[in-house]
Amino acid sequence: MAAMAQANRPPEVKLICGMISADRELFEEARAAMTRVFGPEDLVSEVMDFDFTHYYDTEMGSPLYRRFVSFARRVQPDALVEAKWLTNALECDFATRRGGHPARPINLDPGYIENAKLVLASMKNFSHRVYLGKSVFGEVTLTYHKDGWKGFPWTFPDFASGRYDPFLLGARECLRAAGGEANS
């Protein structure tokens, strides 16, 4: 008779957050707010155009820009649920302080990187998302295999394009350097 699998603690992961805004100055304010909650950052991307979709233009304005930040402290994967709630609260705070103009001044999308994948959090269910708890769903957006990040049919076009790969590879390397699981 085969032995039953034993429960194990999952490897720690690197928390990241993607930011989208029409106001580049909000990236610095959001970074400062998130470091108060998630601890010090260890990697920040360049500011990039967010031009693969116009989905957010009505509520956020245009043109839109994208920036990423990763945090030095490793966390358990289930910390993503609380991270999503905290970033939603920060978004609401930015909207309130700006008087609702635009309706959503910044979009904060937390996720995590482990050596083999990028998982993003969402409050929206879909066929390829798994419920994590407290109204939060997780989506494996990219996997890392041999020489780089690979997408799926559902992967957002901007992530599938490879535009964010330098940041994602850097965050993965920060995780590995900090003693993250060494599978590749």
Side-chain angles (χ1 to χ4, degrees):
M1 176 161 52
M4 185 170 64
Q6 298 298 310
N8 294 302
R9 183 179 170 117
E12 291 181 320
V13 298
K14 172 165 282 305
L15 186 65
I16 69 164
C17 189
M19 303 178 280
I20 302 170
S21 182
D23 182 351
R24 292 171 172 240
E25 291 177 16
L26 279 182
F27 292 145
E28 294 306 315
E29 291 180 52
R31 281 175 57 196
M34 287 188 290
T35 58
R36 286 191 294 274
V37 175
F38 301 127
E41 61 196 32
D42 61 0
L43 189 64
V44 180
S45 76
E46 63 181 317
V47 176
M48 299 166 265
D49 292 334
F50 183 76
D51 54 6
F52 280 83
T53 180
H54 295 285
Y55 179 82
Y56 296 109
D57 288 3
T58 302
E59 67 178 340
M60 298 185 74
S62 68
L64 291 171
Y65 303 97
R66 161 83 88 177
R67 190 169 214 187
F68 290 93
V69 61
S70 74
F71 301 93
R73 186 180 67 215
R74 293 180 298 160
V75 298
Q76 285 293 304
D78 60 358
L80 187 57
V81 172
E82 187 66 21
K84 182 62 177 170
W85 277 97
L86 290 168
T87 55
N88 276 11
L90 288 173
E91 280 191 36
C92 288
D93 183 53
F94 280 108
T96 300
R97 285 191 281 139
R98 297 216 165 200
H101 300 289
R104 189 179 191 186
I106 194 162
N107 177 344
L108 301 173
D109 286 323
Y112 68 74
I113 288 178
E114 62 176 64
N115 285 311
K117 63 183 167 263
L118 166 67
V119 176
L120 296 178
S122 177
M123 294 286 207
K124 296 176 237 166
N125 190 13
F126 206 63
S127 61
H128 58 278
R129 294 183 179 149
V130 177
Y131 186 69
L132 302 178
K134 297 183 180 177
S135 301
V136 178
F137 296 85
E139 171 186 301
V140 177
T141 301
L142 297 170
T143 60
Y144 188 88
H145 184 71
K146 293 186 182 179
D147 61 349
W149 295 103
K150 313 289 186 221
F152 299 97
W154 59 80
T155 299
F156 298 110
D158 54 328
F159 281 90
S161 75
R163 181 182 287 179
Y164 310 145
D165 286 5
F167 170 81
L168 297 172
L169 287 169
R172 184 178 182 270
E173 285 308 311
C174 287
L175 173 67
R176 292 169 65 85
E181 187 181 27
N183 64 349
S184 48

